[in-house]
Amino acid sequence: MPQFRLLPRKAWAALLTQLLQPPRAASTGAVHCHSQVAEAVLPSQLKPHQEKTNFIIKTPKGTRDLSPQQMVVREKILDTVVSCFKRHGAKGLDTPAFELTEVLTEKYGEDSGLIYDLKDQGGELLSLRYDLTVPFARYLAMNKVKKMKRYHVGKVWRRENPTIVQGRYREFCQCDFDIAGQFDPMIPDAECLKIMCEILSGLQLGDFLIKVNDRRIVDGMFAVCGVPESKIRAICSSIDKLDKMSWKDVRHEMVAKKDLAPEVADRIGDYVQCHGGVSLVEQMLQDPRLSQNKQALKGLGDLKLLFEYVTLFGIAEKVSFDLSLARGLDYYTGLIYEAVLLQTPAQAGEQSLNVGSVAAGGRYDGLVGMFDPKGYNVPCVGLSIGVERIFYIVEQRMKTFGEKVRTTETEVFVATPQKNFLQERLKLIAELWDAGIKAEMLYKNNPKLLTQLHYCENMGIPLVVIIGEQELREGILKLRSVTSREEVAIKREHLVAEIQKRLKSES
């Protein structure tokens, strides 16, 4: 058995010091050993870096960064949307970005394949939320909420091949408004249509139309046309593509890819190419085939009532009964609707932008019951605003006309024409901040006055407060308008009041 001899403490210290020293050209045996270890370790450490030489820095497919300029535009759009939701009495709500996978499965029909599944983390199977509606229904069931008017702004994720040129992404923001609870027919539904009109009018996107239909009418139409029950959802998904494809192509998909009988497809075609107002509802109520279906009759009766309410709201001319609207999501049970832009603002130099629907929604009376152990249902109706598509339209318009955007809200800039005035500037800017005034200064000890004034012009800052030796001596400050370049002397104690007065008059 080998014998080990303990070294004295001083010897250990000396040996450790020697081993930890960096290698030299003329090295001792111990240090030479350290050098060999270094040569053995370093290549393995460097290998990952060598492999990254061809690494491309980019955002994942279907996602993007938003610049400060884009964020300003986006926030203005969101402010318009959310302020409308609040005007109608909605409360804010937020839910997790991911849900248990079982919460999301079997809620989206053919679109379920677009759900992003996550790896098993800690014994739970999770998925990124596909929309904000199913999480809302889960929240209502979990918390036993029977009535609620809520709005929710948040990101959702869909694993599809996005068309970014049309404002479509894998990760995108949705703005939802929903009314949950048992109420008299079509009153909440009509309010949802009114909200869509208010938002789209407020955003000034151009002329638009809200297409409406009812899933009971769609299902009744399929039944009287002879669509097998097992194919209803698949055919519904095909019909929903009529805003992007011609009837000929949709018919081909139903017959060739989904094995629908040609004569059944032709009967469907007689209906889905019809659209109009309340007169079309009356016509369908008299239709010899559709009027024989109880589901369709109930849906048509509710649509007639809806047109009565939207007329009272003053938006009837914006609403069209369109039998081609199907909305493929499985959870819709009654009224469905979709807002489309008829055209983007037709001005010189602008291109026609085809972005599809910019808002959509409908009634989903059975979704909450799917989460309740006793199957207790809470009737719901809601809408979702397509922020990304609206943002795309506004962004393209701004590019066309060269519109500039202020990326900050700074109201006042603190400047000096002299050296060694950093302390005075810091005291002054703190005074402005404490008064709630948005203020900036350059982070330099001795900036040039011209540099400071140029910064204000470039950033669109309206006012400049100038402090120097003379001003300090006389107890005054100079307040300069950036646009007119006019300067006035103001007593230090009156500065905040004068700035607030000017800002109020400009707003």
Side-chain angles (χ1 to χ4, degrees), residues 408-422:
T408 72
E409 297 182 7
T410 306
E411 298 162 327
V412 181
F413 189 87
V414 177
T416 183
Q418 282 150 343
K419 293 182 178 181
N420 304 318
F421 260 72
L422 177 60

PDB file of all heavy atoms in Angstrom, residues 408-422:
ATOM      1  N   THR A 408     -39.910  60.275 -28.112  1.00  0.00           N
ATOM      2  CA  THR A 408     -39.994  60.597 -26.689  1.00  0.00           C
ATOM      3  C   THR A 408     -41.079  61.640 -26.476  1.00  0.00           C
ATOM      4  O   THR A 408     -41.534  62.290 -27.421  1.00  0.00           O
ATOM      5  CB  THR A 408     -38.668  61.158 -26.131  1.00  0.00           C
ATOM      6  OG1 THR A 408     -38.474  62.481 -26.642  1.00  0.00           O
ATOM      7  CG2 THR A 408     -37.489  60.283 -26.507  1.00  0.00           C
ATOM      8  N   GLU A 409     -41.470  61.829 -25.224  1.00  0.00           N
ATOM      9  CA  GLU A 409     -42.486  62.831 -24.884  1.00  0.00           C
ATOM     10  C   GLU A 409     -41.879  63.990 -24.101  1.00  0.00           C
ATOM     11  O   GLU A 409     -42.588  64.732 -23.426  1.00  0.00           O
ATOM     12  CB  GLU A 409     -43.603  62.181 -24.069  1.00  0.00           C
ATOM     13  CG  GLU A 409     -44.363  61.106 -24.837  1.00  0.00           C
ATOM     14  CD  GLU A 409     -45.491  60.499 -24.035  1.00  0.00           C
ATOM     15  OE1 GLU A 409     -45.772  61.002 -22.921  1.00  0.00           O
ATOM     16  OE2 GLU A 409     -46.108  59.526 -24.507  1.00  0.00           O
ATOM     17  N   THR A 410     -40.563  64.145 -24.219  1.00  0.00           N
ATOM     18  CA  THR A 410     -39.868  65.206 -23.473  1.00  0.00           C
ATOM     19  C   THR A 410     -40.471  66.572 -23.796  1.00  0.00           C
ATOM     20  O   THR A 410     -40.662  66.917 -24.962  1.00  0.00           O
ATOM     21  CB  THR A 410     -38.364  65.213 -23.820  1.00  0.00           C
ATOM     22  OG1 THR A 410     -37.842  63.901 -23.595  1.00  0.00           O
ATOM     23  CG2 THR A 410     -37.615  66.218 -22.966  1.00  0.00           C
ATOM     24  N   GLU A 411     -40.752  67.342 -22.739  1.00  0.00           N
ATOM     25  CA  GLU A 411     -41.392  68.656 -22.915  1.00  0.00           C
ATOM     26  C   GLU A 411     -40.396  69.803 -22.788  1.00  0.00           C
ATOM     27  O   GLU A 411     -40.568  70.852 -23.415  1.00  0.00           O
ATOM     28  CB  GLU A 411     -42.497  68.819 -21.857  1.00  0.00           C
ATOM     29  CG  GLU A 411     -43.601  67.779 -21.999  1.00  0.00           C
ATOM     30  CD  GLU A 411     -44.463  67.633 -20.755  1.00  0.00           C
ATOM     31  OE1 GLU A 411     -43.927  67.795 -19.633  1.00  0.00           O
ATOM     32  OE2 GLU A 411     -45.667  67.346 -20.897  1.00  0.00           O
ATOM     33  N   VAL A 412     -39.378  69.609 -21.952  1.00  0.00           N
ATOM     34  CA  VAL A 412     -38.429  70.693 -21.661  1.00  0.00           C
ATOM     35  C   VAL A 412     -37.007  70.134 -21.659  1.00  0.00           C
ATOM     36  O   VAL A 412     -36.761  69.038 -21.150  1.00  0.00           O
ATOM     37  CB  VAL A 412     -38.716  71.343 -20.287  1.00  0.00           C
ATOM     38  CG1 VAL A 412     -37.738  72.480 -20.020  1.00  0.00           C
ATOM     39  CG2 VAL A 412     -40.150  71.836 -20.215  1.00  0.00           C
ATOM     40  N   PHE A 413     -36.095  70.912 -22.226  1.00  0.00           N
ATOM     41  CA  PHE A 413     -34.668  70.553 -22.189  1.00  0.00           C
ATOM     42  C   PHE A 413     -33.931  71.597 -21.350  1.00  0.00           C
ATOM     43  O   PHE A 413     -34.153  72.800 -21.511  1.00  0.00           O
ATOM     44  CB  PHE A 413     -34.080  70.519 -23.599  1.00  0.00           C
ATOM     45  CG  PHE A 413     -32.697  69.959 -23.669  1.00  0.00           C
ATOM     46  CD1 PHE A 413     -32.478  68.603 -23.811  1.00  0.00           C
ATOM     47  CD2 PHE A 413     -31.589  70.797 -23.567  1.00  0.00           C
ATOM     48  CE1 PHE A 413     -31.196  68.084 -23.861  1.00  0.00           C
ATOM     49  CE2 PHE A 413     -30.314  70.298 -23.615  1.00  0.00           C
ATOM     50  CZ  PHE A 413     -30.108  68.929 -23.757  1.00  0.00           C
ATOM     51  N   VAL A 414     -33.075  71.131 -20.448  1.00  0.00           N
ATOM     52  CA  VAL A 414     -32.288  72.032 -19.606  1.00  0.00           C
ATOM     53  C   VAL A 414     -30.911  72.215 -20.243  1.00  0.00           C
ATOM     54  O   VAL A 414     -30.171  71.249 -20.414  1.00  0.00           O
ATOM     55  CB  VAL A 414     -32.155  71.474 -18.178  1.00  0.00           C
ATOM     56  CG1 VAL A 414     -31.272  72.387 -17.339  1.00  0.00           C
ATOM     57  CG2 VAL A 414     -33.534  71.327 -17.538  1.00  0.00           C
ATOM     58  N   ALA A 415     -30.590  73.463 -20.591  1.00  0.00           N
ATOM     59  CA  ALA A 415     -29.342  73.746 -21.315  1.00  0.00           C
ATOM     60  C   ALA A 415     -28.553  74.866 -20.627  1.00  0.00           C
ATOM     61  O   ALA A 415     -29.091  75.607 -19.792  1.00  0.00           O
ATOM     62  CB  ALA A 415     -29.664  74.151 -22.758  1.00  0.00           C
ATOM     63  N   THR A 416     -27.298  74.945 -21.008  1.00  0.00           N
ATOM     64  CA  THR A 416     -26.428  76.027 -20.520  1.00  0.00           C
ATOM     65  C   THR A 416     -25.443  76.415 -21.610  1.00  0.00           C
ATOM     66  O   THR A 416     -25.014  75.567 -22.388  1.00  0.00           O
ATOM     67  CB  THR A 416     -25.678  75.598 -19.253  1.00  0.00           C
ATOM     68  OG1 THR A 416     -24.907  76.706 -18.771  1.00  0.00           O
ATOM     69  CG2 THR A 416     -24.730  74.443 -19.525  1.00  0.00           C
ATOM     70  N   PRO A 417     -25.079  77.715 -21.678  1.00  0.00           N
ATOM     71  CA  PRO A 417     -24.079  78.135 -22.673  1.00  0.00           C
ATOM     72  C   PRO A 417     -22.662  78.134 -22.086  1.00  0.00           C
ATOM     73  O   PRO A 417     -21.711  78.441 -22.798  1.00  0.00           O
ATOM     74  CB  PRO A 417     -24.524  79.563 -23.004  1.00  0.00           C
ATOM     75  CG  PRO A 417     -25.136  80.059 -21.737  1.00  0.00           C
ATOM     76  CD  PRO A 417     -25.726  78.879 -21.028  1.00  0.00           C
ATOM     77  N   GLN A 418     -22.530  77.826 -20.801  1.00  0.00           N
ATOM     78  CA  GLN A 418     -21.232  77.993 -20.126  1.00  0.00           C
ATOM     79  C   GLN A 418     -20.708  76.713 -19.503  1.00  0.00           C
ATOM     80  O   GLN A 418     -21.460  75.760 -19.302  1.00  0.00           O
ATOM     81  CB  GLN A 418     -21.358  79.097 -19.050  1.00  0.00           C
ATOM     82  CG  GLN A 418     -21.328  80.475 -19.682  1.00  0.00           C
ATOM     83  CD  GLN A 418     -22.138  81.498 -18.887  1.00  0.00           C
ATOM     84  OE1 GLN A 418     -22.962  81.143 -18.064  1.00  0.00           O
ATOM     85  NE2 GLN A 418     -21.894  82.766 -19.160  1.00  0.00           N
ATOM     86  N   LYS A 419     -19.428  76.720 -19.195  1.00  0.00           N
ATOM     87  CA  LYS A 419     -18.780  75.564 -18.585  1.00  0.00           C
ATOM     88  C   LYS A 419     -19.050  75.539 -17.076  1.00  0.00           C
ATOM     89  O   LYS A 419     -19.399  76.549 -16.480  1.00  0.00           O
ATOM     90  CB  LYS A 419     -17.278  75.600 -18.848  1.00  0.00           C
ATOM     91  CG  LYS A 419     -16.905  75.411 -20.318  1.00  0.00           C
ATOM     92  CD  LYS A 419     -15.392  75.417 -20.491  1.00  0.00           C
ATOM     93  CE  LYS A 419     -15.014  75.184 -21.960  1.00  0.00           C
ATOM     94  NZ  LYS A 419     -13.545  75.154 -22.141  1.00  0.00           N
ATOM     95  N   ASN A 420     -18.843  74.344 -16.511  1.00  0.00           N
ATOM     96  CA  ASN A 420     -18.929  74.144 -15.065  1.00  0.00           C
ATOM     97  C   ASN A 420     -20.301  74.487 -14.481  1.00  0.00           C
ATOM     98  O   ASN A 420     -20.402  75.042 -13.391  1.00  0.00           O
ATOM     99  CB  ASN A 420     -17.838  74.952 -14.341  1.00  0.00           C
ATOM    100  CG  ASN A 420     -16.446  74.597 -14.848  1.00  0.00           C
ATOM    101  OD1 ASN A 420     -16.151  73.419 -15.068  1.00  0.00           O
ATOM    102  ND2 ASN A 420     -15.611  75.602 -15.063  1.00  0.00           N
ATOM    103  N   PHE A 421     -21.361  74.171 -15.240  1.00  0.00           N
ATOM    104  CA  PHE A 421     -22.719  74.422 -14.750  1.00  0.00           C
ATOM    105  C   PHE A 421     -23.515  73.121 -14.594  1.00  0.00           C
ATOM    106  O   PHE A 421     -24.741  73.133 -14.555  1.00  0.00           O
ATOM    107  CB  PHE A 421     -23.467  75.383 -15.694  1.00  0.00           C
ATOM    108  CG  PHE A 421     -23.490  76.793 -15.191  1.00  0.00           C
ATOM    109  CD1 PHE A 421     -22.340  77.571 -15.205  1.00  0.00           C
ATOM    110  CD2 PHE A 421     -24.644  77.330 -14.644  1.00  0.00           C
ATOM    111  CE1 PHE A 421     -22.346  78.860 -14.727  1.00  0.00           C
ATOM    112  CE2 PHE A 421     -24.662  78.627 -14.147  1.00  0.00           C
ATOM    113  CZ  PHE A 421     -23.518  79.407 -14.180  1.00  0.00           C
ATOM    114  N   LEU A 422     -22.820  71.986 -14.485  1.00  0.00           N
ATOM    115  CA  LEU A 422     -23.499  70.696 -14.348  1.00  0.00           C
ATOM    116  C   LEU A 422     -24.360  70.646 -13.083  1.00  0.00           C
ATOM    117  O   LEU A 422     -25.513  70.209 -13.120  1.00  0.00           O
ATOM    118  CB  LEU A 422     -22.469  69.555 -14.328  1.00  0.00           C
ATOM    119  CG  LEU A 422     -23.054  68.151 -14.115  1.00  0.00           C
ATOM    120  CD1 LEU A 422     -24.037  67.793 -15.220  1.00  0.00           C
ATOM    121  CD2 LEU A 422     -21.941  67.115 -14.001  1.00  0.00           C
TER     122      LEU A 422
END
